[in-house]
Amino acid sequence: MNWDQIKGNWKQFSGKIRQQWGQLTDDEIDEIAGNRDILVGKLQERYGIGREEAERQLEDFTNSL
């Protein structure tokens, strides 16, 4: 699945995002609103990982959908 599909159906996918990365708050999920770059930044911030690792996790997540 590509990111444009996720962005277009953000309300549907936000629950799956929340399940995958449970440390993200509801406010952060609302703030992300389907923006991939914001999500990557939030993952870096919340989980203390680098951009490359956040990108990899997000890629793995989108491939699993």
Side-chain angles (χ1 to χ4, degrees):
M1 177 165 291
N2 69 39
W3 193 257
D4 288 332
Q5 293 170 309
I6 293 171
K7 186 176 182 178
N9 296 302
W10 182 248
K11 291 291 183 189
Q12 176 184 345
F13 287 107
S14 63
K16 293 180 182 191
I17 297 283
R18 191 173 289 116
Q19 285 177 342
Q20 180 72 26
W21 294 287
Q23 290 183 17
L24 295 175
T25 66
D26 290 341
D27 288 341
E28 289 172 325
I29 296 288
D30 291 342
E31 181 184 339
I32 293 164
N35 186 310
R36 189 177 192 282
D37 289 333
I38 294 174
L39 176 54
V40 168
K42 294 293 181 188
L43 292 177
Q44 288 178 266
E45 183 181 307
R46 276 283 167 208
Y47 289 91
I49 58 176
R51 183 163 188 85
E52 189 174 295
E53 175 62 18
E55 293 274 357
R56 186 195 63 74
Q57 287 184 19
L58 192 52
E59 184 70 22
D60 290 348
F61 172 75
T62 56
N63 288 338
S64 72
L65 296 176

Coordinates of all heavy atoms in Angstrom, one line a residue:
M1 N 0.9 -1.2 0.0 CA 0.0 0.0 0.0 C 0.9 1.2 0.0 O 1.9 1.3 0.7 CB -0.9 0.0 1.2 CG -1.8 1.2 1.4 SD -3.1 1.0 2.6 CE -4.1 -0.2 1.7
N2 N 0.5 2.3 -0.7 CA 1.3 3.4 -0.7 C 0.8 4.5 0.2 O -0.3 4.4 0.7 CB 1.5 4.0 -2.2 CG 0.2 4.6 -2.7 OD1 -0.6 5.2 -2.0 ND2 0.0 4.4 -4.0
W3 N 1.6 5.5 0.5 CA 1.3 6.5 1.5 C 0.1 7.4 1.1 O -0.6 7.8 1.9 CB 2.5 7.3 1.8 CG 2.2 8.1 3.1 CD1 1.9 9.4 3.1 CD2 2.1 7.6 4.4 NE1 1.7 9.8 4.4 CE2 1.8 8.7 5.2 CE3 2.3 6.3 5.0 CZ2 1.6 8.5 6.6 CZ3 2.2 6.2 6.3 CH2 1.8 7.3 7.1
D4 N -0.1 7.6 -0.2 CA -1.2 8.4 -0.7 C -2.5 7.8 -0.3 O -3.5 8.4 0.1 CB -1.2 8.6 -2.2 CG -0.1 9.6 -2.6 OD1 0.3 10.4 -1.8 OD2 0.4 9.4 -3.8
Q5 N -2.6 6.4 -0.3 CA -3.8 5.7 0.1 C -4.0 5.9 1.6 O -5.2 6.1 2.0 CB -3.7 4.2 -0.3 CG -3.8 4.0 -1.8 CD -3.4 2.6 -2.1 OE1 -2.4 2.0 -1.6 NE2 -4.3 1.9 -2.9
I6 N -3.0 5.8 2.4 CA -3.1 6.0 3.8 C -3.5 7.4 4.1 O -4.4 7.6 5.0 CB -1.7 5.6 4.5 CG1 -1.4 4.1 4.3 CG2 -1.8 6.0 6.0 CD1 -0.1 3.7 4.8
K7 N -2.9 8.4 3.5 CA -3.2 9.8 3.7 C -4.7 10.0 3.4 O -5.4 10.7 4.1 CB -2.3 10.7 2.9 CG -2.5 12.1 3.2 CD -1.5 13.0 2.4 CE -1.7 14.4 2.8 NZ -0.7 15.3 2.1
G8 N -5.2 9.5 2.3 CA -6.5 9.7 1.9 C -7.6 9.0 2.8 O -8.7 9.5 2.9
N9 N -7.2 8.0 3.5 CA -8.0 7.3 4.5 C -7.5 7.4 5.9 O -7.5 6.4 6.6 CB -8.2 5.8 4.0 CG -8.8 5.7 2.7 OD1 -10.0 6.1 2.5 ND2 -8.1 5.1 1.7
W10 N -7.0 8.5 6.3 CA -6.3 8.7 7.5 C -7.1 8.2 8.7 O -6.6 7.6 9.6 CB -5.8 10.1 7.7 CG -5.0 10.3 9.0 CD1 -5.4 11.0 10.1 CD2 -3.8 9.7 9.3 NE1 -4.5 10.9 11.1 CE2 -3.4 10.1 10.6 CE3 -2.9 8.9 8.6 CZ2 -2.3 9.7 11.2 CZ3 -1.7 8.4 9.3 CH2 -1.4 8.9 10.5
K11 N -8.4 8.6 8.8 CA -9.2 8.2 9.9 C -9.2 6.7 10.1 O -9.2 6.1 11.2 CB -10.7 8.7 9.7 CG -10.8 10.2 9.8 CD -10.5 10.7 11.2 CE -10.7 12.1 11.4 NZ -10.3 12.7 12.6
Q12 N -9.3 5.9 9.0 CA -9.3 4.5 9.0 C -8.0 3.9 9.5 O -7.9 3.0 10.3 CB -9.6 3.9 7.6 CG -9.6 2.4 7.5 CD -9.8 2.0 6.0 OE1 -10.2 2.7 5.2 NE2 -9.4 0.7 5.8
F13 N -6.9 4.5 9.0 CA -5.6 4.0 9.3 C -5.0 4.5 10.6 O -4.0 3.9 11.1 CB -4.6 4.3 8.2 CG -4.9 3.4 6.9 CD1 -5.4 4.0 5.8 CD2 -4.5 2.1 7.0 CE1 -5.7 3.2 4.7 CE2 -4.8 1.3 5.9 CZ -5.4 1.9 4.7
S14 N -5.5 5.6 11.1 CA -5.0 6.1 12.4 C -5.1 5.1 13.5 O -4.2 5.1 14.4 CB -5.7 7.4 12.8 OG -7.1 7.2 13.0
G15 N -6.1 4.3 13.5 CA -6.1 3.2 14.6 C -5.0 2.2 14.4 O -4.4 1.8 15.4
K16 N -4.7 1.9 13.2 CA -3.6 0.9 13.0 C -2.2 1.6 13.3 O -1.4 0.9 13.9 CB -3.6 0.5 11.5 CG -4.8 -0.4 11.2 CD -4.8 -0.8 9.8 CE -6.1 -1.6 9.5 NZ -6.1 -2.3 8.3
I17 N -2.1 2.9 13.1 CA -0.9 3.6 13.4 C -0.8 3.6 15.0 O 0.3 3.3 15.5 CB -1.0 5.1 12.9 CG1 -1.0 5.1 11.4 CG2 0.2 5.9 13.5 CD1 0.3 4.9 10.7
R18 N -1.9 3.8 15.6 CA -1.9 3.8 17.1 C -1.5 2.5 17.7 O -0.8 2.4 18.7 CB -3.3 4.3 17.6 CG -3.4 4.6 19.1 CD -4.7 5.2 19.5 NE -4.8 6.5 19.0 CZ -5.8 6.9 18.1 NH1 -6.6 6.1 17.6 NH2 -5.8 8.2 17.7
Q19 N -2.0 1.4 17.0 CA -1.7 0.0 17.5 C -0.2 -0.2 17.3 O 0.4 -0.8 18.2 CB -2.5 -1.0 16.7 CG -3.9 -1.1 17.1 CD -4.7 -2.1 16.3 OE1 -4.2 -2.5 15.2 NE2 -5.8 -2.5 16.8
Q20 N 0.3 0.2 16.2 CA 1.8 -0.1 15.9 C 2.7 0.7 16.8 O 3.7 0.2 17.2 CB 2.0 0.3 14.4 CG 3.4 0.0 13.9 CD 3.8 -1.4 13.8 OE1 2.9 -2.3 13.6 NE2 5.1 -1.7 14.0
W21 N 2.3 2.0 17.0 CA 3.2 2.9 17.8 C 2.4 3.4 18.9 O 1.9 4.6 18.9 CB 3.8 4.0 16.9 CG 4.7 3.4 15.9 CD1 6.0 2.9 16.1 CD2 4.5 3.3 14.5 NE1 6.6 2.5 15.0 CE2 5.7 2.7 13.9 CE3 3.4 3.6 13.6 CZ2 5.8 2.4 12.6 CZ3 3.6 3.3 12.3 CH2 4.7 2.7 11.8
G22 N 2.2 2.7 20.0 CA 1.3 3.0 21.1 C 1.7 4.2 21.9 O 0.9 4.7 22.7
Q23 N 2.9 4.6 21.8 CA 3.4 5.8 22.6 C 2.9 7.1 22.0 O 3.0 8.1 22.6 CB 4.9 5.8 22.7 CG 5.4 4.7 23.6 CD 6.9 4.8 23.8 OE1 7.5 5.8 23.5 NE2 7.5 3.7 24.3
L24 N 2.4 7.1 20.7 CA 1.9 8.3 20.1 C 0.5 8.6 20.8 O -0.3 7.8 20.9 CB 1.7 8.1 18.6 CG 3.0 7.9 17.8 CD1 2.6 7.6 16.4 CD2 3.9 9.1 17.9
T25 N 0.4 9.9 21.1 CA -0.9 10.3 21.8 C -2.0 10.6 20.7 O -1.7 10.7 19.5 CB -0.7 11.6 22.6 OG1 -0.3 12.7 21.7 CG2 0.4 11.4 23.6
D26 N -3.2 10.7 21.2 CA -4.3 11.0 20.3 C -4.1 12.4 19.6 O -4.3 12.6 18.4 CB -5.6 11.0 21.0 CG -6.1 9.6 21.4 OD1 -5.6 8.6 20.8 OD2 -6.9 9.5 22.3
D27 N -3.6 13.3 20.4 CA -3.3 14.7 19.9 C -2.2 14.6 18.8 O -2.3 15.3 17.7 CB -2.8 15.6 21.0 CG -4.0 16.0 21.9 OD1 -5.1 15.9 21.5 OD2 -3.7 16.5 23.0
E28 N -1.2 13.8 19.0 CA -0.2 13.6 18.0 C -0.7 12.9 16.7 O -0.4 13.4 15.6 CB 1.0 12.8 18.5 CG 1.8 13.6 19.5 CD 2.9 12.7 20.2 OE1 2.6 11.5 20.4 OE2 3.9 13.3 20.5
I29 N -1.6 12.0 16.9 CA -2.2 11.3 15.7 C -3.0 12.3 14.9 O -3.0 12.4 13.7 CB -3.1 10.1 16.2 CG1 -2.3 9.0 16.8 CG2 -3.9 9.6 15.0 CD1 -1.4 8.2 15.9
D30 N -3.8 13.2 15.6 CA -4.5 14.2 15.0 C -3.6 15.2 14.3 O -3.9 15.7 13.2 CB -5.4 15.0 16.0 CG -6.6 14.1 16.5 OD1 -6.9 13.0 15.9 OD2 -7.1 14.4 17.6
E31 N -2.5 15.6 14.9 CA -1.6 16.5 14.3 C -0.9 15.9 13.1 O -0.7 16.7 12.1 CB -0.5 16.8 15.3 CG 0.5 17.8 14.9 CD 1.7 18.1 15.9 OE1 1.5 17.8 17.1 OE2 2.7 18.5 15.4
I32 N -0.6 14.7 13.0 CA 0.0 14.0 11.9 C -0.9 14.1 10.7 O -0.5 14.4 9.6 CB 0.4 12.6 12.2 CG1 1.5 12.5 13.3 CG2 0.8 11.8 11.0 CD1 1.6 11.2 14.0
A33 N -2.2 13.8 10.9 CA -3.2 14.0 9.8 C -2.8 13.4 8.5 O -3.1 14.0 7.4 CB -3.7 15.4 9.7
G34 N -2.1 12.3 8.5 CA -1.7 11.7 7.2 C -0.4 12.2 6.6 O 0.0 11.7 5.5
N35 N 0.3 13.1 7.3 CA 1.5 13.7 6.8 C 2.7 12.7 7.2 O 3.0 12.6 8.3 CB 1.7 15.1 7.3 CG 2.9 15.7 6.7 OD1 4.0 15.2 6.7 ND2 2.7 17.0 6.2
R36 N 3.3 12.1 6.2 CA 4.3 11.1 6.4 C 5.5 11.7 7.2 O 6.1 11.1 8.1 CB 4.8 10.5 5.1 CG 5.7 9.4 5.2 CD 6.0 8.8 3.8 NE 6.6 7.5 3.9 CZ 7.9 7.3 4.2 NH1 8.7 8.3 4.5 NH2 8.4 6.1 4.3
D37 N 6.0 12.9 6.7 CA 7.1 13.5 7.4 C 6.9 13.9 8.8 O 7.8 13.7 9.7 CB 7.5 14.8 6.6 CG 8.1 14.5 5.3 OD1 8.7 13.4 5.1 OD2 8.0 15.4 4.4
I38 N 5.7 14.3 9.2 CA 5.4 14.6 10.6 C 5.4 13.3 11.4 O 5.9 13.3 12.5 CB 4.0 15.3 10.7 CG1 4.1 16.7 10.1 CG2 3.6 15.5 12.2 CD1 2.8 17.5 10.0
L39 N 4.8 12.2 10.8 CA 4.8 10.9 11.5 C 6.3 10.5 11.7 O 6.6 10.0 12.9 CB 4.1 9.9 10.7 CG 4.1 8.5 11.3 CD1 3.6 8.4 12.7 CD2 3.2 7.6 10.4
V40 N 7.1 10.6 10.8 CA 8.5 10.2 10.9 C 9.2 11.0 12.1 O 9.8 10.4 12.9 CB 9.3 10.4 9.6 CG1 10.8 10.2 9.9 CG2 8.9 9.3 8.6
G41 N 8.9 12.3 12.1 CA 9.4 13.1 13.2 C 8.9 12.7 14.5 O 9.7 12.7 15.5
K42 N 7.6 12.4 14.6 CA 7.0 12.0 15.9 C 7.6 10.7 16.4 O 7.8 10.5 17.5 CB 5.5 11.9 15.8 CG 4.8 13.2 15.6 CD 4.9 14.1 16.8 CE 4.2 15.4 16.5 NZ 4.5 16.4 17.6
L43 N 7.9 9.8 15.4 CA 8.5 8.5 15.8 C 9.9 8.7 16.3 O 10.2 8.1 17.3 CB 8.5 7.5 14.6 CG 7.1 7.0 14.1 CD1 7.3 6.2 12.8 CD2 6.4 6.3 15.1
Q44 N 10.6 9.6 15.7 CA 12.0 9.9 16.2 C 11.9 10.4 17.6 O 12.7 10.0 18.5 CB 12.6 10.9 15.3 CG 13.0 10.4 13.9 CD 13.6 11.5 13.1 OE1 12.9 12.2 12.3 NE2 14.9 11.7 13.3
E45 N 11.0 11.4 17.8 CA 10.9 12.0 19.1 C 10.4 11.1 20.2 O 11.0 11.0 21.3 CB 9.9 13.2 18.9 CG 9.7 14.0 20.1 CD 8.6 15.1 19.8 OE1 8.8 15.8 18.9 OE2 7.6 15.2 20.6
R46 N 9.4 10.3 19.9 CA 8.8 9.5 21.0 C 9.6 8.3 21.3 O 9.7 7.8 22.4 CB 7.4 8.9 20.5 CG 6.3 9.8 20.7 CD 5.9 9.7 22.2 NE 5.0 10.8 22.4 CZ 4.8 11.4 23.6 NH1 5.5 11.0 24.6 NH2 4.0 12.4 23.7
Y47 N 10.3 7.7 20.3 CA 11.0 6.4 20.5 C 12.5 6.6 20.5 O 13.2 5.6 20.7 CB 10.6 5.4 19.4 CG 9.2 4.9 19.5 CD1 8.1 5.6 18.9 CD2 8.9 3.8 20.3 CE1 6.8 5.1 19.1 CE2 7.6 3.4 20.5 CZ 6.6 4.0 19.9 OH 5.3 3.6 20.1
G48 N 13.0 7.8 20.4 CA 14.4 8.1 20.5 C 15.2 7.4 19.4 O 16.3 6.8 19.7
I49 N 14.7 7.3 18.2 CA 15.4 6.6 17.1 C 15.8 7.7 16.0 O 15.2 8.8 16.0 CB 14.5 5.5 16.5 CG1 13.2 6.1 15.9 CG2 14.3 4.4 17.5 CD1 12.3 5.1 15.2
G50 N 16.7 7.3 15.2 CA 17.1 8.2 14.1 C 16.1 8.2 12.9 O 15.2 7.3 12.9
R51 N 16.3 9.1 12.0 CA 15.4 9.3 10.9 C 15.4 8.0 10.0 O 14.3 7.5 9.6 CB 15.7 10.5 10.1 CG 14.8 10.7 8.9 CD 14.9 12.1 8.3 NE 13.8 12.3 7.4 CZ 12.6 12.7 7.7 NH1 12.3 13.0 8.9 NH2 11.7 12.9 6.7
E52 N 16.5 7.4 9.8 CA 16.6 6.2 9.0 C 15.8 5.1 9.6 O 15.1 4.4 8.9 CB 18.1 5.9 8.8 CG 18.3 4.8 7.8 CD 19.8 4.5 7.6 OE1 20.5 5.5 7.1 OE2 20.3 3.4 8.0
E53 N 15.9 4.9 10.9 CA 15.2 3.8 11.6 C 13.7 4.1 11.5 O 12.9 3.2 11.3 CB 15.7 3.6 13.0 CG 14.9 2.6 13.8 CD 14.9 1.2 13.3 OE1 15.8 0.9 12.5 OE2 14.1 0.4 13.7
A54 N 13.3 5.3 11.7 CA 11.9 5.7 11.7 C 11.3 5.4 10.3 O 10.2 4.9 10.1 CB 11.7 7.1 12.1
E55 N 12.1 5.8 9.2 CA 11.7 5.6 7.9 C 11.6 4.1 7.6 O 10.6 3.6 6.9 CB 12.7 6.2 6.9 CG 12.8 7.7 6.9 CD 11.8 8.3 6.0 OE1 11.0 7.6 5.3 OE2 11.7 9.6 6.0
R56 N 12.5 3.3 8.1 CA 12.5 1.8 7.9 C 11.2 1.2 8.5 O 10.5 0.4 7.9 CB 13.7 1.2 8.5 CG 13.8 -0.3 8.1 CD 14.8 -1.1 9.0 NE 14.5 -1.0 10.4 CZ 13.6 -1.8 11.0 NH1 12.8 -2.6 10.3 NH2 13.4 -1.7 12.3
Q57 N 10.9 1.6 9.8 CA 9.8 1.1 10.5 C 8.5 1.5 9.7 O 7.6 0.7 9.6 CB 9.7 1.7 11.9 CG 10.7 1.0 12.8 CD 10.6 1.5 14.3 OE1 9.5 2.1 14.6 NE2 11.6 1.4 15.1
L58 N 8.4 2.7 9.2 CA 7.2 3.1 8.5 C 7.1 2.4 7.2 O 6.0 2.0 6.8 CB 7.3 4.6 8.2 CG 6.1 5.3 7.8 CD1 4.9 5.0 8.6 CD2 6.3 6.8 7.7
E59 N 8.2 2.1 6.5 CA 8.2 1.3 5.3 C 7.7 -0.1 5.6 O 6.9 -0.6 4.8 CB 9.6 1.3 4.7 CG 9.7 0.6 3.3 CD 9.0 1.4 2.2 OE1 8.8 2.6 2.3 OE2 8.6 0.7 1.2
D60 N 8.2 -0.7 6.6 CA 7.8 -2.0 7.0 C 6.3 -2.0 7.3 O 5.6 -3.0 6.9 CB 8.5 -2.6 8.2 CG 10.0 -2.9 7.9 OD1 10.4 -2.9 6.7 OD2 10.8 -3.0 8.9
F61 N 5.8 -1.0 8.0 CA 4.4 -0.9 8.3 C 3.5 -0.8 7.1 O 2.5 -1.5 6.9 CB 4.2 0.3 9.2 CG 2.7 0.6 9.5 CD1 2.0 -0.2 10.4 CD2 2.1 1.7 8.8 CE1 0.6 0.1 10.6 CE2 0.8 2.0 9.1 CZ 0.0 1.2 10.0
T62 N 3.9 0.1 6.1 CA 3.1 0.2 4.9 C 3.1 -1.0 4.1 O 2.1 -1.4 3.4 CB 3.5 1.5 4.1 OG1 4.9 1.4 3.8 CG2 3.3 2.7 4.9
N63 N 4.2 -1.7 4.1 CA 4.3 -3.0 3.3 C 3.4 -4.1 3.9 O 3.0 -5.0 3.2 CB 5.8 -3.4 3.2 CG 6.6 -2.6 2.3 OD1 6.0 -1.9 1.4 ND2 7.9 -2.6 2.4
S64 N 3.2 -4.0 5.2 CA 2.4 -5.0 5.9 C 0.9 -4.8 5.7 O 0.1 -5.7 6.0 CB 2.8 -5.1 7.4 OG 2.2 -4.0 8.0
L65 N 0.5 -3.7 5.2 CA -0.9 -3.4 5.0 C -1.5 -4.0 3.8 O -0.9 -4.3 2.8 CB -1.2 -1.9 5.0 CG -0.8 -1.1 6.3 CD1 -1.0 0.4 6.1 CD2 -1.7 -1.6 7.4

